[in-house]
Amino acid sequence: MNTAGAAPVSILTSAVGLGVYIPALLNQRRLRALGHSADVEVLEEHYTPDKLRAHLASRQAHRDNFALAQMANRMARDVASCFDEARVAGLLERWAGERRTRFIVWSGFWLPVIERYRALAPSGALQVDHCRIDAELSASFRIFPALRGSGREVWLWHGASGRIEHEIPVSGQAPLPWDAREDRLVSHGGGWGIGTYREWLGALAATPYSIDRVVHEPSEAIDRAGSGRCYMMDPQWQPWQRDGASALGFPPMGQVQGGVLRHIETRDDHHVLHQVIRSAWAIVSKPGGCTLIDSLAAATPVVLLEPYGQAEQANADIWQALGYGISMADWRASGFSAAILERLHRNILARRAAPAYP
């Protein structure tokens, strides 16, 4: 890792989902806490305006149609045609001027850009970590087979080994004891709000649990008995937007009350929703990477919904094999047992913690 006076570490991520955006920011905050200089680049920040508008449109389409999202995942391709060439060239020149050699890659779409930089890098060899947010290769890395050996593989959880390899610290807080938690479930569809989580709200409302939901439109926050609280990200916020100090931040989030988003807050060290997850009995979600990071850090089990692509299916498989999660079908067959959730929580607590990354 770099030392005082060395060039910053470049952490390269994407807004294709918060599952690779939030871990990159957590990664940056940890490096800074350890005394290292690190910054984050978001892929979409370097798109042309037209391609960025298309990206936002596809995000909405995938939220509205999970089958379409699944098809797009299977058909993932290089995004080089989306780049504003002047912006990318400027980024490469800045890296070369700062003699950067250390890169942490959370989205494989960055791999061709790093290869371009190798020809400009003044100091020769680069140190590149390919961070695996899923238990098998995710789409953004899978489409570049020739570049898979261009860096060191860093797995968080690995389907082939069946183990947790590394962990990403979140808040630094110890998990809450089971008896200190509320009988709540947190239901969400990841950063884009995709998946089948909305289809299960009726069944969950009939259980004894309160349901805290993440919604993406105020109109989704329809009051219903036992539905609990509704949370929503500030719709004006985008992951690639920087503040006055050119810093990227975690998503601002608030509660929706009376059809209005209120009490928006954010934190500099981790995402606000993690605090809600810490006090819940389970997360009800597709098995995305950031969901599993939250699950480990908070010792909150996951009720696993239909995955987004084969890589998330591998996540579901390992979470069930380790005893940290249960499929919705199996949990429903148990009568939505609270005892099962408590057992999964204790399994997570009892694990031998893996080394933190980095």
Side-chain angles (χ1 to χ4, degrees):
M1 199 57 66
N2 68 324
T3 57
V9 178
S10 290
I11 303 172
L12 308 181
T13 191
S14 169
V16 72
L18 295 184
V20 290
Y21 176 80
I22 286 178
L25 260 62
L26 293 170
N27 193 182
Q28 179 199 36
R29 273 38 171 192
R30 175 169 168 79
L31 281 171
R32 288 180 173 177
L34 294 172
H36 304 296
S37 176
D39 56 29
V40 177
E41 295 290 340
V42 178
L43 194 78
E44 290 79 4
E45 187 177 11
H46 304 280
Y47 279 13
T48 66
D50 285 349
K51 295 298 184 181
L52 193 56
R53 282 191 290 271
H55 166 77
L56 292 171
S58 69
R59 183 167 69 181
Q60 183 61 50
H62 293 172
R63 181 180 299 155
D64 294 340
N65 188 329
F66 190 41
L68 177 64
Q70 296 279 40
M71 182 172 63
N73 180 272
R74 292 192 296 270
M75 298 174 62
R77 62 185 187 278
D78 191 350
V79 299
S81 63
C82 297
F83 286 135
D84 180 321
E85 179 55 31
R87 291 187 180 185
V88 174
L91 178 65
L92 297 178
E93 289 175 8
R94 176 162 62 83
W95 287 350
E98 295 172 350
R99 306 183 69 83
R100 297 201 181 204
T101 61
R102 185 73 172 91
F103 294 85
I104 296 174
V105 183
W106 288 95
S107 169
F109 292 128
W110 279 101
L111 295 183
V113 178
I114 293 178
E115 290 310 297
R116 286 179 58 181
Y117 177 63
R118 286 184 191 274
L120 301 175
S123 52
L126 305 181
Q127 300 176 59
V128 183
D129 284 356
H130 295 182
C131 292
R132 310 300 192 202
I133 196 67
D134 296 311
E136 68 174 44
L137 279 181
S138 52
S140 69
F141 285 98
R142 191 178 63 239
I143 61 176
F144 298 112
L147 299 180
R148 289 180 194 163
S150 62
R152 179 177 74 117
E153 288 192 328
V154 177
W155 294 89
L156 299 187
W157 28 82
H158 196 187
S161 70
R163 297 196 306 266
I164 307 296
E165 304 284 353
H166 292 90
E167 298 190 24
I168 302 293
V170 181
S171 69
Q173 300 166 290
L176 284 174
W178 189 256
D179 292 343
R181 300 181 182 223
E182 303 173 22
D183 54 349
R184 291 180 177 273
L185 310 176
V186 179
S187 172
H188 67 73
W192 274 26
I194 64 174
T196 60
Y197 68 106
R198 285 170 290 194
E199 298 171 20
W200 284 99
L201 289 174
L204 293 176
T207 69
Y209 312 107
S210 292
I211 315 301
D212 287 342
R213 295 176 287 150
V214 178
V215 301
H216 294 268
E217 300 287 343
S219 59
E220 295 178 40
I222 301 171
D223 292 334
R224 46 176 102 190
S227 64
R229 301 167 294 196
C230 289
Y231 294 91
M232 180 177 160
M233 285 186 294
D234 183 346
Q236 302 304 313
W237 177 83
Q238 300 294 350
W240 52 85
Q241 292 175 340
R242 296 179 181 270
D243 64 18
S246 288
L248 296 168
F250 292 99
M253 180 166 282
Q255 286 192 49
V256 181
Q257 298 172 330
V260 177
L261 179 59
R262 303 179 188 277
H263 312 302
I264 298 175
E265 60 179 303
T266 188
R267 302 179 64 112
D268 183 63
D269 56 342
H270 66 276
H271 46 298
V272 171
L273 189 64
H274 184 73
Q275 293 301 320
V276 182
I277 288 168
R278 287 185 70 242
S279 63
W281 278 3
I283 308 165
V284 179
S285 177
K286 66 184 188 61
C290 197
T291 296
L292 303 193
I293 288 173
D294 281 329
S295 174
L296 281 184
T300 301
V302 185
V303 176
L304 298 153
L305 302 182
E306 183 179 349
Y308 173 52
Q310 184 57 40
E312 285 196 2
Q313 178 62 62
N315 290 349
D317 292 343
I318 196 169
W319 235 242
Q320 290 179 93
L322 292 172
Y324 302 164
I326 185 172
S327 72
M328 175 59 87
D330 287 346
W331 193 47
R332 178 176 59 177
S334 77
F336 301 105
S337 166
I340 286 177
L341 299 183
E342 182 176 3
R343 184 177 74 242
L344 299 177
H345 157 76
R346 298 196 183 285
N347 290 345
I348 301 173
L349 281 181
R351 79 190 188 281
R352 182 187 297 273
Y357 177 80

